[in-house]
Amino acid sequence: MVDQARARRLAKRIVNIVGTAIEYEIKDPRLRFVTVTDAKVTGDLREATVYYTVMGETIDAEPDFPGVAAGLEKAKGVLRSKVGAATGIKFTPTLSFVLDTVPDAARQMEELLARARASDEQVAQVAANATHAGDADPYKSDEED
């Protein structure tokens, strides 16, 4: 039987273990600007997907995505052994690393919302100066008869 609560707890623990190991124990310079954001563990606790983001050395610098992916692939065995030692479960899950696209999606959504706000402001300005196309009261009344 699948215990989703246990899988979520293990996923949180894996995020902490892998993040700490990358920051303090793995000496690969390609992994300096990696942040572990989330992890998902299958119900049988056999496989774990670890999501990460990468920052550039400066604000304007483009991150080295292929280099980071290669560094994580190289450190996968060490990280898995750290997870096994820290969790103490019978079978240590295999780790796979996936670049997290949530920050890019959030940035795109913010840009879309900014464009929508600008469009709404333009419509409001046009509506403020607008006049009726016909009579101010287009409905018939008994007073006109």
Side-chain angles (χ1 to χ4, degrees):
M1 187 164 156
V2 176
D3 187 4
Q4 292 297 330
R6 184 174 183 202
R8 283 193 301 271
R9 284 193 313 269
L10 181 60
K12 285 174 81 174
R13 186 80 175 113
I14 287 173
V15 168
N16 291 335
I17 295 166
V18 171
T20 303
I22 287 173
E23 186 175 356
Y24 296 112
E25 298 171 20
I26 306 293
K27 301 298 180 193
D28 193 340
R30 297 176 289 190
L31 303 180
R32 287 186 304 192
F33 301 106
V34 172
T35 303
V36 177
T37 57
D38 196 15
K40 302 287 185 207
V41 178
T42 58
D44 61 357
L45 307 180
R46 297 281 178 158
E47 297 175 10
T49 304
V50 179
Y51 296 93
Y52 67 94
T53 59
V54 183
M55 293 177 44
E57 290 188 30
T58 63
I59 291 176
D60 299 328
E62 186 67 26
D64 181 23
F65 296 117
V68 169
L72 287 171
E73 190 65 31
K74 183 177 178 189
K76 184 185 289 188
V78 173
L79 292 172
R80 183 173 181 220
S81 65
K82 298 253 183 230
V83 168
T87 58
I89 57 177
K90 183 176 182 179
F91 183 81
T92 304
T94 58
L95 301 178
S96 62
F97 294 94
V98 176
L99 183 64
D100 195 358
T101 58
V102 171
D104 292 333
R107 182 184 45 77
Q108 290 173 349
M109 290 297 285
E110 287 295 328
E111 291 172 359
L112 290 172
L113 288 171
R115 281 197 280 172
R117 286 187 196 107
S119 177
D120 287 347
E121 288 175 9
Q122 290 175 348
V123 169
Q125 289 174 355
V126 169
N129 300 330
T131 59
H132 294 286
D135 295 334
D137 186 17
Y139 301 104
K140 291 184 179 181
S141 65
D142 293 332
E143 297 171 5
E144 294 177 4
D145 292 340

